[in-house]
């Protein structure tokens, strides 16, 4: 709406958490984008549109609703690294954001193979003056809420029931 009239504001937030879940299970839940609408806060739509790179990635549409500030659907390119358990998400089509990116890094801890270190970094850039005013707080809230939601989902979904696109 206001793109081009205002200098873009970019905010980044990283959330790190030790989670009592096997790392592969957490990774499997992260890559199961079609289920996000069932448990991710602020998610109003989640659907894989097409896969590419022999299962190394896909394009997905995600809808986020964070009333009264955001009600947006956008398309993202998702790149998977099942070996290192990293997931990178870059918006490629959005009317509200100049850019939106996320990166999940999931790793086994030294203490146990049944717990993992989870890092989620979110970066949002917008030229919308109303969104820019609340962007810092918004990015932090989304990051923290998502990590907590994924942890809860891991505990709600038995390990045998989780799917892996790239095991």
């Amino acid at each position: 709406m206001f793109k081009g009239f205002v200098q873009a504001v970019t905010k980044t937030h990283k959330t790190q958490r030790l989670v009592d879940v096997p790392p592969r299970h957490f990774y499997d839940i992260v890559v199961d984008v079609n289920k996000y609408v069932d448990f991710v806060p602020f998610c109003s739509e989640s659907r894989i549109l097409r896969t590419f790179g022999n299962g190394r990635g896909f394009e997905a549409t995600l809808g986020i609703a964070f009333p009264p500030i955001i009600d947006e659907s956008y398309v993202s390119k998702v790149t998977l690294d099942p070996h290192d358990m990293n997931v990178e998400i870059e918006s490629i089509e959005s009317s509200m954001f100049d850019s939106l990116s996320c990166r999940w890094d999931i790793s086994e801890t030294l203490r146990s193979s049944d717990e993992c270190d989870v890092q989620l970094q979110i970066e949002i850039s917008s030229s919308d003056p109303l969104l820019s005013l609340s962007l810092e707080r918004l990015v932090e809230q989304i990051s923290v809420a998502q990590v907590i939601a994924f942890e809860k989902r891991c505990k709600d979904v038995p390990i045998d029931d989780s799917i892996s696109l790239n095991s």
Side-chain angles (χ1 to χ4, degrees), residues 50-51 55 67 77 95 102 105 132 144 148 156 167:
R50 70 175 189 91
T51 60
K77 177 182 175 187
S95 62
C102 301
D105 291 299
S132 296
V144 170
I148 291 169
D156 290 346
S167 291

Side-chain angles (χ1 to χ4, degrees), residues 30-49:
V30 169
V31 301
D32 193 10
V33 170
N34 288 329
K35 300 286 186 184
Y36 283 15
V37 73
D38 296 335
F39 72 95
V40 174
F42 321 115
C43 183
S44 57
E45 174 186 14
S46 60
R47 186 170 27 96
I48 293 175
L49 302 173

Side-chain angles (χ1 to χ4, degrees), residues 75 89 141:
V75 176
I89 302 111
Q141 285 180 336

Side-chain angles (χ1 to χ4, degrees), residues 111-132:
R111 294 189 307 186
S112 170
S113 61
D114 288 332
E115 69 179 11
C116 60
D117 181 42
V118 174
Q119 293 182 38
L120 172 61
Q121 180 169 312
I122 298 178
E123 181 176 288
I124 299 176
S125 180
S126 178
S127 299
D128 182 312
L130 296 175
L131 181 57
S132 296

Side-chain angles (χ1 to χ4, degrees), residues 7 32 79-80 101 109 112 114 137 141-142 150 163:
Q7 174 105 10
D32 193 10
T79 305
L80 307 173
S101 64
T109 66
S112 170
D114 288 332
R137 187 165 182 249
Q141 285 180 336
I142 290 171
F150 278 87
I163 63 156

Side-chain angles (χ1 to χ4, degrees), residues 18-161:
L18 188 64
V19 179
D20 192 24
V21 170
R24 180 59 56 188
H25 184 53
F26 199 99
Y27 176 84
D28 290 346
I29 297 296
V30 169
V31 301
D32 193 10
V33 170
N34 288 329
K35 300 286 186 184
Y36 283 15
V37 73
D38 296 335
F39 72 95
V40 174
F42 321 115
C43 183
S44 57
E45 174 186 14
S46 60
R47 186 170 27 96
I48 293 175
L49 302 173
R50 70 175 189 91
T51 60
F52 58 84
N54 294 326
R56 294 289 185 168
F58 53 85
E59 287 183 3
T61 184
L62 292 172
I64 55 172
F66 199 85
I69 302 165
I70 296 174
D71 188 5
E72 162 84 346
S73 286
Y74 61 95
V75 176
S76 291
K77 177 182 175 187
V78 180
T79 305
L80 307 173
D81 182 344
H83 180 264
D84 289 333
M85 291 184 284
N86 301 324
V87 180
E88 291 190 37
I89 302 111
E90 290 284 333
S91 66
I92 56 176
E93 184 182 310
S94 172
S95 62
M96 181 171 274
F97 306 113
D98 295 339
S99 67
L100 186 151
S101 64
C102 301
R103 179 177 171 93
W104 287 96
D105 291 299
I106 303 150
S107 58
E108 188 174 301
T109 66
L110 296 176
R111 294 189 307 186
S112 170
S113 61
D114 288 332
E115 69 179 11
C116 60
D117 181 42
V118 174
Q119 293 182 38
L120 172 61
Q121 180 169 312
I122 298 178
E123 181 176 288
I124 299 176
S125 180
S126 178
S127 299
D128 182 312
L130 296 175
L131 181 57
S132 296
L133 290 173
S134 58
L135 204 52
E136 187 165 353
R137 187 165 182 249
L138 181 69
V139 171
E140 181 179 352
Q141 285 180 336
I142 290 171
S143 179
V144 170
Q146 282 195 4
V147 172
I148 291 169
F150 278 87
E151 179 180 8
K152 182 179 180 325
R153 178 70 172 182
C154 285
K155 292 179 181 193
D156 290 346
V157 174
I159 291 174
D160 293 343
D161 290 348

